[in-house]
Amino acid sequence: MSAQPDHAPVTPYAPAPGAPAELLAQLRADRRAERWVPAFEREWAAALEESRRTFSLAGLYEVVQDWQSRLAHAPAVDAFVASGYDDSEGVDMAELRGRRR
């Protein structure tokens, strides 16, 4: 019998050391910069404070991963919003706007 686990542990996500700075540069270049940069900076500051208290980088990694995902998915969200069709309700939003006028 072995003391080794019979499964491999999941390796936690760890961004590259320069990822937060690169991410901030991408956020500043985005058309949503006015809203997104302050939001990122607030989340980053909160995660940094938590990291200091807990001696864990997990919160910082999570902030980077969340914002990388938001940036990556922003074009798809923009396309969905621009389509005017909300398929979660089966309602054509452009049609609704036309009825209100």
Side-chain angles (χ1 to χ4, degrees):
M1 194 144 120
S2 171
Q4 297 296 321
D6 61 354
H7 64 283
V10 176
T11 305
Y13 169 79
E22 182 180 315
L23 180 59
L24 186 55
Q26 290 173 344
L27 290 171
R28 287 182 175 146
D30 193 274
R31 67 178 181 81
R32 301 165 193 82
E34 187 176 307
R35 292 185 321 263
W36 280 15
V37 169
F40 171 78
E41 288 173 340
R42 278 190 306 272
E43 288 183 30
W44 183 257
L48 190 57
E49 187 56 39
E50 177 187 341
S51 177
R52 288 180 181 136
R53 281 193 326 270
T54 63
F55 299 100
S56 171
L57 298 175
L60 294 170
Y61 293 169
E62 187 176 316
V63 169
V64 170
Q65 189 173 22
D66 287 349
W67 280 96
Q68 285 173 333
S69 180
R70 286 178 188 154
L71 272 174
H73 292 94
V77 173
D78 289 343
F80 175 76
V81 171
S83 75
Y85 187 77
D86 180 357
D87 63 356
S88 65
E89 297 293 325
V91 175
D92 184 348
M93 299 308 286
E95 186 179 310
L96 283 177
R97 280 188 227 110
R99 288 184 198 164
R100 289 185 200 156
R101 292 182 183 166

